[in-house]
Amino acid sequence: MMSTSDDILLSREEDGILRLTLNRPERRNALNEALILALTEAFAAASRRPSVRAIVLSATGDKAFCAGADLNPNAGTFGFDYASPTTAYAELMRQARRGTVPVIGRINGHCLAGGMGLLAICDMAVAASTAKFGLPEVKVGVFPMQVAALLMPLMSARKFAEMCYTGEFLDAAEAQAAGLVNYVADPAGLDARVDGLAATVAARSPTAIRRGKHALNAMVGMTPEQAIAYMEAQIGLMPMTEDAQEGMAAFAAKRAPVWTGN
């Protein structure tokens, strides 16, 4: 499936990999309400499609992955409905966390503010060496409240505090050292590095990965004792899947497994 070039979110699935591409280069791929809703639905739909084994989240152009919320007054990004207990951006973060398909971020350029929230919902990320990362909200009188919910656990408390309170940027190497991205690649080699990682994930058991991601997300916030007990129950269920039985049979026969995703 491929969207037209006029769409704010491009979508293409091939060989088990769903590529979602932010397509607002004229606004540095900033998030408006329509793009947030499109991403939310795309993540929800991906988890319902057994054919999707990995998601690559990227953006058009080479300047910006996502510059954050669109500050244009007509974008509707800050159109809070105070009668509603939830916001569209928070629902996007919730949906992404509920998803059972691994998400790989292709960070092709500046990743700022709300864009850092998109980075946080990725399970893995590869950044171009020219990318910059930052939480500049304090420079315009606000604070990365929503982003903090998912981004803070990924970083040391002190480095996160520095980013929040100074608004200064990290380069790609600093972002990797801070644990925000897995790999840094030259811009010319970015696609090859992302595609290799996505293909590796897509080649593994989709059942094991979907159940595994669900379990890892469920374990967040548990005490060590609760986590041990929860995983104790989960491990007993894994051999009952067709993929587990196929994987063990293939290992014994010294052949490549053929995954059914069941």
Side-chain angles (χ1 to χ4, degrees), residues 31-34 36 69-81 88:
L31 295 165
N32 62 5
E33 184 177 23
I36 290 170
D70 193 334
L71 300 182
N72 187 316
N74 297 321
T77 314
F78 292 109
F80 285 100
D81 177 0

Side-chain angles (χ1 to χ4, degrees), residues 149-206:
L150 295 186
L151 190 63
M152 186 173 177
L154 298 179
M155 306 177 64
S156 75
R158 294 187 186 280
K159 178 56 71 174
F160 182 72
E162 180 183 348
M163 291 186 72
C164 287
Y165 301 151
T166 68
E168 298 300 319
F169 294 174
L170 302 180
D171 62 27
E174 291 170 325
Q176 184 180 28
L180 290 173
V181 301
N182 298 73
Y183 303 103
V184 174
D186 291 334
L190 178 62
D191 284 331
R193 196 71 181 88
V194 171
D195 291 350
L197 183 58
T200 299
V201 173
R204 306 309 185 216
S205 163

Side-chain angles (χ1 to χ4, degrees), residues 97-190:
R97 278 192 54 82
R98 284 195 296 266
T100 54
V101 181
V103 182
I104 300 169
R106 176 187 175 274
I107 314 303
N108 52 301
H110 280 45
C111 179
L112 309 176
M116 292 287 282
L118 297 185
L119 174 62
I121 63 179
C122 295
D123 299 287
M124 296 163 280
V126 182
S129 57
T130 52
K132 300 290 185 183
F133 301 78
L135 297 170
E137 283 89 339
V138 292
K139 295 180 180 181
V140 295
V142 291
F143 198 81
M145 300 291 189
Q146 195 72 79
V147 174
L150 295 186
L151 190 63
M152 186 173 177
L154 298 179
M155 306 177 64
S156 75
R158 294 187 186 280
K159 178 56 71 174
F160 182 72
E162 180 183 348
M163 291 186 72
C164 287
Y165 301 151
T166 68
E168 298 300 319
F169 294 174
L170 302 180
D171 62 27
E174 291 170 325
Q176 184 180 28
L180 290 173
V181 301
N182 298 73
Y183 303 103
V184 174
D186 291 334
L190 178 62

Side-chain angles (χ1 to χ4, degrees), residues 49-53 100-102 201-215 234 237-247 258-262:
R49 297 215 304 268
S51 61
V52 178
R53 298 188 176 188
T100 54
V101 181
V201 173
R204 306 309 185 216
S205 163
T207 301
I209 289 175
R210 285 174 183 264
R211 288 195 62 90
K213 181 171 178 177
H214 176 80
Q234 293 300 308
L237 297 174
M238 292 304 301
M240 300 174 66
T241 68
E242 289 182 13
D243 269 10
Q245 293 165 19
E246 165 63 10
V258 178
W259 308 120
T260 65
N262 296 315

Side-chain angles (χ1 to χ4, degrees), residues 44-66:
S47 286
R48 296 193 296 263
R49 297 215 304 268
S51 61
V52 178
R53 298 188 176 188
I55 297 171
V56 172
L57 181 62
S58 184
T60 54
D62 57 8
K63 300 297 184 184
F65 169 70
C66 178

